[in-house]
Amino acid sequence: MSLRLSRRTLFASGGAAALAAGPVFAQTAPANDDASLAAAVDAYVAKCMAAWPDQPALGVAVVKDGATVLARGYGVKVQGKPARADEHTLFAIASNTKNVTAAALAILVDEGKVKWDEPVRTYLPGFTLSDPYIGEHITVRDTLSHRAGFGLGAGDLLFWPNSDRTRAEVLAQAAFVPIEDGFRARYHYCNLMFVVAGAVLEAVSGMSWEAFIQTRILDKVGMTETVPLARLADASKSALPHGRVGPPLRYQGAMTPIATSIVEVWNWDSAAAAGGICTTPTDWAKWIAVRLNEGKLPDGTRLYSEDAAREMYRPNIIVGSSAGPTAELPNRSIASTYAMGLQVQDYRGERIASHGGGSPGGISATVLIPGRKTGFSVFSNAEESFLLRALRSGITDICMGKVDVDWIADSKKLEAEGNAKSIAAAAEIDAKQAAGAPPSMPLDAYAGTWRDPWYGDIVIAPKTEGRGRNRKSGLWLSFTHTPALQGWLEPYDGETFRTRFPDKREEDAFVTFSILTAKPATATVKGVSPDIDFSYDYQDLRLTRV
C-alpha cells in the first residue's frame, strides 16, 4: 500500500474528493458571476503555487454555462528556464483520455454500430482472456468500467514504462494477464481493458483510434491545439515532465526535469485509448463544455446523443462507500462509483463526475458538476500529488460556494506525514539488505532467460564493467520489452535479490527465486518502494526459467 497520496490512492480509493477533510473555517458565499468565479479560482491557484514553490507549471480551465470562465497557465514549462506556461501550453493528461474514448464509442452506439452490452467477441472474433468465461462474456461497457476482475494496474508493464510493443501485441498478450477477482465483483482500475475498448472502436470504424479521435471528436469540437498521441506533442509548446527521483526513493529528493519531451517518458501509442491525449487548458475547456452540455456542440449539432450522455454517467460499479458527510468530513461521499470513463459520486450533497490522470512527470484532474453546469480541469507537469489534491478539492468547493476547508494546510500536513513514513521505509529497506543472508547458490546459478506468460522474457546475465577500483561484477537484469528497466541485480536477503536501475526515473523491484532440483526454477517479483506507482505491476509476473 502506498504511504503517499498517489495514482494508486486516487484511482483505487475514489479520488481526492473522498479523502478526509482538513481544518474547517468560515464558509464563503458562492461567486455569483463569471468574473468573480474566475478571480476566486485564480487567487486560489496562486496560493497553491506559493505553497508548493517547486511546482514548475500548472494549466487550469473553468467552464460555466457553456462558456470558458478561466483558461490560464501558471509557472514555467521547464524548471530554471524563462518560457512561461500559458493557456495554449500542452500537457499530458493521461487517463483523462478515458472519457474521450468512452465518448468515441458513444458515437458508434448512436450510429447503431456498437452496443454497450454486447460481448467484445462480437466485434473482435476470437478475443479471449485468461479466464475463458470472462473472455466470452465481457462487454463493451465492462471494458470502460474497471470491473472485469483484473487486479489494480494488471498488465500495465506491457506499455509502462515506454515499451517496444505494438497495439496489436498488447491486445494479444492481454489474453494471458492473470485475473484475480470475480467478474463484475469489485472495482479494480484497469488500463488494459481500455486498450481493448480502443480495439473495438478500430475494428468497427475501420480507422485507427487516433484518426477517429482526431476527425470525429477533436476536429468537430474545435480542439485545434490537442493531439491524440504524445509523440505528436511539440516539445517547444509543452510543459515538460518533472519529478523527484531520490534519494532515497522515487518521489523524494529535489524537483528536477526528467525528460526533454513528453514522449520521452510517455509514449503510449500502444495504449492510446487509455491515456494518449495531450491538450491545453483552452482546448480542454471546450471538451468540458461538451460534456456538461450532454454532447451538444456550440453550433447546436450533437457529437453524441442525450441518451448516450446519460448512459456515460450511469454508475456501473461501486468504488467505495461510507456513512457520508460529518461536521469534520463535510465532503465525504456516501457512494463513489465508476460509470464509463468517469467516476461519479456525491460531494457535499451534489453529484460530481471526475477523473484523474497520471504519467511520469505529470498529473491532472477533470471535475464536472452537472447540476451547476460547471466544470474545471487542472494540469500539472510534475508529480506533486498533494498539490493536485488541494487544487481539485479546493476549486470544487469554490465552484459550489462551500469553502470551509483549508485544503492547502491539510494537504501540506498529509504530505509531511507521508514523506516521513517514506523516508523511514527507505531506511528499513536498506537496513534489511545490509543484514540480509547471502544467496544459497553462486550468482551464475540465477542467470538465464526467465519467461512470464503475458510480459515475455526477462534476461539475467553475468556482467562486468569498469577497471581497477571502478570494476564491478555481478548480475544484470533486462526486461526485454522495456528499455528503461535494465540494471544491476543485487543480493538482498537469501533467495531475494533487488534491482538497481541506472535510470532513476524508474522503480526498482525485488526478485525472489524458488529453488527446485538444486537450481532456481521460478521467481516472483514485487516493487521495492512502498510508494511505487501501481502501473509497475511487477507482482503480476510469474517467471519460469526457459
Side-chain angles (χ1 to χ4, degrees):
M1 171 111 184
S2 176
L3 298 176
R4 297 168 50 82
L5 184 67
S6 61
R7 287 174 78 243
R8 179 183 298 273
T9 309
L10 288 171
F11 294 147
S13 64
L19 298 175
V24 177
F25 48 85
Q27 183 166 311
T28 63
N32 292 319
D33 58 77
D34 292 355
S36 297
L37 176 59
V41 172
D42 185 57
Y44 183 72
V45 175
K47 285 179 65 177
C48 287
M49 287 287 281
W52 278 268
D54 290 344
Q55 175 65 37
L58 291 173
V60 177
V62 181
V63 175
K64 183 179 179 184
D65 296 326
T68 299
V69 172
L70 176 69
R72 184 179 168 186
Y74 301 79
V76 294
K77 297 177 184 178
V78 183
Q79 182 187 65
K81 295 188 177 181
R84 304 287 298 178
D86 62 22
E87 67 272 26
H88 305 295
T89 298
L90 283 164
F91 291 80
I93 64 166
S95 288
N96 285 287
T97 300
K98 288 181 170 65
N99 76 84
V100 180
T101 294
L105 284 162
I107 292 171
L108 295 177
V109 169
D110 285 342
E111 293 175 351
K113 298 175 181 177
V114 170
K115 294 181 180 179
W116 295 122
D117 297 308
E118 191 73 14
V120 168
R121 279 188 178 179
T122 302
Y123 312 107
L124 300 176
F127 177 80
T128 189
L129 294 171
S130 59
D131 182 319
Y133 177 86
I134 299 175
E136 181 179 354
H137 292 89
I138 189 170
T139 65
V140 175
R141 184 189 302 275
D142 293 321
T143 67
L144 300 170
S145 303
H146 303 305
R147 64 182 192 178
F150 291 95
L152 175 64
D156 281 4
L157 281 172
L158 291 170
F159 39 82
W160 169 306
N162 287 355
S163 168
D164 66 2
R165 288 203 182 273
T166 65
R167 203 170 292 175
E169 289 172 339
V170 170
L171 186 65
Q173 294 307 111
F176 305 103
V177 177
I179 295 174
E180 70 173 34
D181 206 348
F183 186 36
R184 301 173 183 158
R186 273 168 289 276
Y187 168 89
H188 299 283
Y189 195 85
C190 184
N191 288 304
L192 187 61
M193 288 301 96
F194 272 82
V195 177
V196 174
V200 170
L201 183 148
E202 292 183 331
V204 172
S205 70
M207 303 169 67
S208 69
W209 176 87
E210 57 268 29
F212 190 98
I213 298 302
Q214 184 66 58
T215 59
R216 301 295 305 274
I217 292 183
L218 302 181
D219 291 348
K220 291 199 171 184
V221 178
M223 297 171 70
T224 58
E225 300 172 346
T226 301
V227 293
L229 302 173
R231 62 178 166 84
L232 302 177
D234 184 338
S236 69
K237 298 178 181 179
S238 302
L240 299 184
H242 294 69
R244 302 180 189 273
V245 296
L249 295 172
R250 190 72 165 82
Y251 311 114
Q252 299 290 333
M255 179 70 72
T256 184
I258 63 170
T260 57
S261 65
I262 292 173
V263 73
E264 181 183 334
V265 290
W266 187 248
N267 185 355
W268 264 33
D269 278 19
S270 61
I277 290 175
C278 295
T279 191
T280 69
T282 294
D283 260 13
W284 199 246
K286 298 174 185 177
W287 179 245
I288 290 173
V290 171
R291 293 307 307 244
L292 290 171
N293 210 19
E294 297 184 323
K296 186 179 289 186
L297 297 170
D299 65 2
T301 62
R302 282 198 163 273
L303 189 66
Y304 50 82
S305 68
E306 192 172 345
D307 285 345
R310 284 195 296 266
E311 199 68 21
M312 286 188 284
Y313 280 136
R314 173 183 157 188
N316 291 319
I317 194 75
I318 294 173
V319 176
S321 62
S322 76
T326 66
E328 295 76 24
L329 304 170
N331 67 322
R332 188 169 67 170
S333 299
I334 296 172
S336 175
T337 70
Y338 201 90
M340 288 190 285
L342 284 170
Q343 187 171 302
V344 179
Q345 65 190 89
D346 59 291
Y347 182 96
R348 295 180 178 268
E350 301 185 40
R351 182 180 64 161
I352 67 170
S354 63
H355 215 286
S359 59
I363 50 179
S364 53
T366 302
V367 177
L368 309 177
I369 313 172
R372 294 177 180 264
K373 293 290 184 180
T374 300
F376 68 89
S377 58
V378 177
F379 305 151
S380 165
N381 67 334
E383 302 160 339
E384 303 291 78
S385 54
F386 289 96
L387 167 59
L388 184 67
R389 176 182 185 263
L391 287 163
R392 175 175 163 162
S393 297
I395 297 175
T396 302
D397 288 358
I398 290 169
C399 291
M400 290 183 172
K402 299 174 180 179
V403 184
D404 55 2
V405 174
D406 188 344
W407 290 106
I408 295 175
D410 193 55
S411 295
K412 293 299 289 186
K413 174 178 176 289
L414 292 176
E415 181 180 60
E417 292 172 353
N419 285 340
K421 291 178 180 178
S422 295
I423 290 169
E428 183 178 351
I429 291 166
D430 290 343
K432 285 184 177 179
Q433 183 169 13
S440 65
M441 307 187 75
L443 292 186
D444 285 359
Y446 301 88
T449 298
W450 298 79
R451 183 165 296 162
D452 175 81
W454 62 270
Y455 175 82
D457 290 351
I458 294 173
V459 175
I460 300 173
K463 182 172 181 175
T464 299
E465 67 176 23
R467 295 181 178 181
R469 292 182 180 180
N470 296 323
R471 181 182 172 87
K472 181 175 182 178
S473 295
L475 295 176
W476 185 266
L477 178 146
S478 300
F479 281 73
T480 56
H481 295 286
T482 316
L485 297 183
Q486 302 188 23
W488 294 105
L489 184 66
E490 302 175 348
Y492 184 79
D493 185 16
E495 304 310 320
T496 297
F497 291 64
R498 65 155 295 171
T499 64
R500 295 278 184 184
F501 295 129
D503 189 339
K504 297 305 179 185
R505 298 172 298 189
E506 307 304 345
E507 292 279 11
D508 283 306
F510 290 122
V511 182
T512 300
F513 297 92
S514 295
I515 308 299
L516 183 65
T517 61
K519 66 178 182 179
T522 62
T524 57
V525 189
K526 70 174 184 177
V528 170
S529 173
D531 297 333
I532 190 170
D533 191 286
F534 68 75
S535 285
Y536 293 92
D537 62 317
Y538 296 132
Q539 71 280 357
D540 292 318
L541 298 171
R542 300 292 182 269
L543 301 176
T544 301
R545 185 195 288 272
V546 176

